[in-house]
Amino acid sequence: MLGGVLGVYSGFVGAGTGTLWSSLTTALFDVDLKEANALSCLFTFITNMVALILFMALHEVSYPLAITLSCFGVVGSLIGAYL
């Protein structure tokens, strides 16, 4: 049930989903914060992949824009990691 609710939230809003996963996992289950953060990364990845597959199946993806944004996202992440 938690996965369904947060999956829908992630699909519509997206902002803060990882924090919600971590907070609710530690509050509702016997999981420490380190494990909850790792799980939140996995769960966020899964919701993003499901959204991508859904939009690809519905032919709603602008591939040139998606590739451009992905490249700049990687470059920004690398710059941020080295700073």
Side-chain angles (χ1 to χ4, degrees):
M1 189 166 140
L2 178 64
V5 171
L6 283 178
V8 170
Y9 173 82
S10 176
F12 282 105
V13 180
T17 305
T19 303
L20 287 174
W21 278 116
S22 296
S23 300
L24 291 174
T25 304
T26 55
L28 298 175
F29 305 104
D30 188 26
V31 176
D32 64 349
L33 187 58
K34 185 176 179 181
E35 187 176 350
N37 284 334
L39 288 172
S40 75
C41 291
L42 174 65
F43 295 152
T44 302
F45 175 76
I46 290 170
T47 57
N48 289 340
M49 287 298 106
V50 168
L52 176 62
I53 291 167
L54 178 67
F55 284 120
M56 288 172 74
L58 295 173
H59 304 289
E60 296 291 331
V61 177
S62 171
Y63 290 100
L65 180 61
I67 292 169
T68 303
L69 289 172
S70 297
C71 290
F72 280 104
V74 168
V75 170
S77 296
L78 290 172
I79 291 171
Y82 286 112
L83 291 178

